[in-house]
Amino acid sequence: SPHRRKMNLKSERRGIHVDQSELLCKKGCGYYGNPAWQGFCSKCWREEYHKARQKQIQEDWELAERLQREEEEAYASSQSTQGAQSLTFSKFEEKKTNEKTRKVTTVKKFFTASSRAGAKKEIQEAKAPSPSIHRQASIETDRVSKEFVEFIRTCQKPGQDIYKQCKLFLDTMSHKRDLSIEEQSECAQDFYQNVADRLQTRWKVPPEKVEKAMDEVEKYIMTRQYKYVFCPETTDDEKKDLAVQKRIRALHWVTPQMLCVPVSEEIPEVSDMVVKAITDIIEMDSKRVPRDKLACITKCSKHIFNAIKITKNEPASADDFLPTLIYIVLKGNPPRLQSNIQYITRFCNPSRLMTGEDGYYFTNLCCAVAFIEKLDAQSLNLSQEDFDRFMTGQTSPKKQESDSFSPDVCLGVKQMCKSLDLLSQLNERQERIVSEAKKLEKDLIDWTDGIAKEVEDIVEKYPLEIKPKSQALAAIDSENVENDKLPPPLQPQVYAG
């Protein structure tokens, strides 16, 4: 019955369903959260970060005062000797080092997905990019710089202040290349906040113009910072990229039906939308500005919504959107996916990630990647045995016969099975044609060789004899003895005028 089919669909969805409330900040502020910020929004995450950092600073001060007090007491004691003093000092140094190590470990363990793997490698050791990349980057940087200067000119005094702040920030960042990427991210977030506050409080710029100005600021500074802060060597971003890429390749067999994707690629218009969505999510890696990368995610998401709307002939719901986004990511396998997500999280203007459609779609993409990493048999409505066989490549769901489906299966699945069966038959025909073509080629070669041999045999059996030339005749009429058969010669005639 339709009701039963609907219930089955709901049970299938359960594996990848996400409640809209789960996308919001877990502190309840109403902004969008993010897995990279442990479920907090950008604002709450910074508050938590500062709170923990202040607490750590306070603990460090208390530790320093306590150690200093112990040292002074030991020094003031009449029984203290030089050896005792040096022992106390060495204990102080040891405690200080231990506490410092503990502080770094604790803070990084709590606030970063990965600790710093080791000392930063020299840039010279890194693989040098091709000259064409340098040229492209230089051209783009010059273009963005010119656009930024033109924008600044239209802003008068506030523009001059913005330009000064940007130059100061870029100069500061050039001296902070050895810091961890989290600390560089914190500098960038502080900079965004300070510039926005200056525009609003000092220059009384309206909110919509502030947003426009911040977009220009982000474009200018991140175009220049991109090569230093995107997938830096001090992080394990590249390792995560390869892990996600490998995981997506292992899931190549996942079908839209397993994910309950309400999209029919049989419809040409829908198929075009799917291709555009995949193109947009792949194009994200070619952009340098976080906002431009977000725009690619938004374009991709809108194509997904259109594809669902055309298929269902009604507006798409959030429950339709997320499974389809997962399917698009699996089908497209975007390059450097984790690096792009991390880059946006660290260096995008935080206001864009907290509200609006860009923030909503970005949060959904983060959820989609998280689901892909933990996709299992239950979420795909498969038995564990089938899931394991598909993952190891022992078999593929595409080999299933259409007869194995129950009568109430939707027409789309049946059509897909027929298409796969037809493709299988075409494949067999193709192999047969190739085999026949090779046989024909061999027959032609054999026939040519046979004809050549026959010709050689005939020439050998019947050699060509060329007779010598006969003697040339002395005159045309030499053999003509009787002249009576020839006509008389023409006589010249005189014309009398």
Side-chain angles (χ1 to χ4, degrees):
S1 67
H3 178 69
R4 186 177 176 184
R5 200 175 304 133
K6 192 174 180 182
M7 290 298 290
N8 287 340
L9 193 64
K10 281 190 176 178
S11 65
E12 285 177 3
R13 282 188 189 283
R14 196 175 299 150
I16 53 169
H17 168 76
V18 61
D19 207 330
Q20 289 301 292
S21 61
E22 292 175 34
L23 300 178
L24 299 176
C25 175
K26 65 182 183 183
K27 209 169 181 181
C29 64
Y31 293 126
Y32 292 121
N34 194 297
W37 297 322
Q38 298 186 6
F40 291 106
C41 70
S42 175
K43 185 168 174 282
C44 296
W45 172 249
R46 285 176 55 119
E47 286 174 5
E48 292 292 319
Y49 185 89
H50 282 299
K51 202 182 293 178
R53 195 163 63 176
Q54 289 301 321
K55 184 181 176 185
Q56 197 63 60
I57 291 168
Q58 184 64 32
E59 286 176 3
D60 290 347
W61 272 108
E62 288 172 4
L63 172 70
E65 286 174 0
R66 180 162 54 81
L67 292 176
Q68 188 177 358
R69 203 163 46 244
E70 287 175 9
E71 187 181 9
E72 285 172 357
E73 286 171 5
Y75 183 78
S77 172
S78 58
Q79 296 176 352
S80 66
T81 61
Q82 189 67 28
Q85 285 177 23
S86 62
L87 181 63
T88 307
F89 183 74
S90 66
K91 280 184 179 178
F92 166 75
E93 285 296 318
E94 187 182 347
K95 281 184 180 179
K96 190 176 179 183
T97 306
N98 289 342
E99 288 294 331
K100 188 176 179 183
T101 308
R102 184 189 64 76
K103 177 193 77 171
V104 171
T105 308
T106 307
V107 170
K108 291 200 172 183
K109 186 178 177 183
F110 185 76
F111 286 107
T112 65
S114 61
S115 60
R116 203 166 175 177
K120 186 181 179 183
K121 295 178 184 177
E122 291 297 322
I123 292 172
Q124 287 80 4
E125 292 178 13
K127 290 181 181 177
S130 66
S132 62
I133 293 173
H134 272 306
R135 278 199 302 274
Q136 184 184 353
S138 177
I139 291 165
E140 190 171 350
T141 304
D142 290 345
R143 179 180 59 77
V144 169
S145 298
K146 285 177 183 174
E147 288 175 3
F148 186 63
V149 170
E150 286 172 10
F151 169 75
I152 291 302
R153 282 174 182 162
T154 63
C155 298
Q156 297 173 349
K157 285 189 178 180
Q160 293 172 7
D161 190 21
I162 291 171
Y163 189 74
K164 182 182 172 184
Q165 294 296 324
C166 289
K167 284 292 183 186
L168 190 63
F169 170 75
L170 291 171
D171 186 52
T172 305
M173 288 297 283
S174 66
H175 295 99
K176 292 190 175 183
R177 299 271 152 76
D178 290 332
L179 294 180
S180 71
I181 197 66
E182 284 76 25
E183 290 170 300
Q184 292 184 60
S185 169
E186 187 70 13
C187 291
Q189 299 295 330
D190 286 338
F191 170 73
Y192 287 137
Q193 189 65 50
N194 291 338
V195 172
D197 288 345
R198 283 174 79 92
L199 288 172
Q200 285 177 340
T201 56
R202 184 175 176 180
W203 301 106
K204 310 296 181 190
V205 178
E208 63 277 2
K209 288 191 176 179
V210 170
E211 189 177 343
K212 169 68 178 166
M214 292 309 298
D215 287 343
E216 294 294 331
V217 166
E218 181 189 321
K219 188 201 295 185
Y220 176 66
I221 65 168
M222 292 318 302
T223 302
R224 289 173 169 274
Q225 289 294 305
Y226 180 76
K227 62 182 177 182
Y228 305 112
V229 297
F230 182 84
C231 192
E233 293 178 356
T234 53
T235 66
D236 58 355
D237 289 355
E238 187 177 5
K239 187 179 173 184
K240 287 180 180 177
D241 286 335
L242 294 172
V244 169
Q245 194 175 60
K246 188 178 177 183
R247 172 72 173 167
I248 291 174
R249 282 177 180 166
L251 292 165
H252 67 90
W253 48 268
V254 175
T255 64
Q257 288 72 31
M258 290 175 183
L259 293 166
C260 296
V261 174
V263 164
S264 173
E265 292 183 72
E266 295 290 326
I267 305 167
E269 197 177 352
V270 172
S271 180
D272 288 345
M273 291 291 178
V274 169
V275 170
K276 285 177 182 175
I278 291 170
T279 305
D280 287 330
I281 198 74
I282 290 173
E283 191 183 359
M284 173 175 67
D285 187 57
S286 67
K287 305 296 181 183
R288 300 175 75 187
V289 183
R291 185 168 62 92
D292 293 342
K293 290 182 183 290
L294 276 178
C296 289
I297 298 170
T298 301
K299 280 197 292 182
C300 166
S301 302
K302 287 184 174 179
H303 285 312
I304 289 172
F305 272 109
N306 286 335
I308 297 169
K309 186 179 179 182
I310 294 166
T311 304
K312 294 179 71 177
N313 205 17
E314 63 181 34
S317 67
D319 278 349
D320 294 328
F321 172 65
L322 187 60
T324 313
L325 180 60
I326 292 170
Y327 173 64
I328 292 296
V329 172
L330 287 175
K331 199 167 180 180
N333 199 353
R336 301 193 292 186
L337 184 56
Q338 283 286 13
S339 287
N340 280 291
I341 288 174
Q342 289 290 344
Y343 175 69
I344 292 169
T345 302
R346 291 166 183 157
F347 296 101
C348 186
N349 184 358
S351 63
R352 281 201 167 270
L353 300 183
M354 289 159 61
T355 57
E357 60 180 10
D358 286 346
Y360 174 75
Y361 295 135
F362 178 68
T363 304
N364 272 279
L365 178 63
C366 294
C367 287
V369 174
F371 271 119
I372 287 168
E373 288 173 342
K374 60 183 181 184
L375 217 55
D376 57 12
Q378 187 182 359
S379 56
L380 293 172
N381 204 36
L382 295 170
S383 66
Q384 191 60 47
E385 293 77 19
D386 283 346
F387 182 81
D388 293 338
R389 282 190 297 133
F390 294 156
M391 284 298 284
T392 53
Q394 291 176 5
T395 185
S396 167
K398 294 172 184 176
K399 291 179 182 176
Q400 291 175 337
E401 296 290 333
S402 57
D403 298 339
S404 64
F405 289 100
S406 58
D408 61 341
V409 170
C410 70
L411 292 171
V413 175
K414 290 181 180 177
Q415 183 62 45
M416 180 191 73
C417 291
K418 285 179 184 175
S419 300
L420 288 171
D421 188 42
L422 182 61
L423 281 171
S424 177
Q425 291 175 24
L426 286 170
N427 190 40
E428 288 173 11
R429 283 177 62 186
Q430 176 75 3
E431 287 174 0
R432 196 160 57 244
I433 288 167
V434 169
S435 174
E436 292 291 332
K438 285 180 179 175
K439 186 174 178 298
L440 178 61
E441 185 182 22
K442 186 177 180 302
D443 290 346
L444 282 170
I445 291 168
D446 291 345
W447 178 77
T448 306
D449 292 344
I451 293 294
K453 193 171 184 313
E454 282 180 28
V455 170
E456 286 174 5
D457 291 345
I458 290 169
V459 168
E460 192 178 339
K461 193 173 180 180
Y462 305 103
L464 182 66
E465 294 180 6
I466 301 173
K467 293 180 179 180
K469 290 181 181 179
S470 57
Q471 290 294 325
L473 297 174
I476 252 178
D477 299 330
S478 62
E479 292 180 4
N480 190 9
V481 180
E482 297 175 1
N483 290 332
D484 55 343
K485 291 182 180 178
L486 290 171
L490 294 173
Q491 294 296 322
Q493 305 221 358
V494 180
Y495 174 68

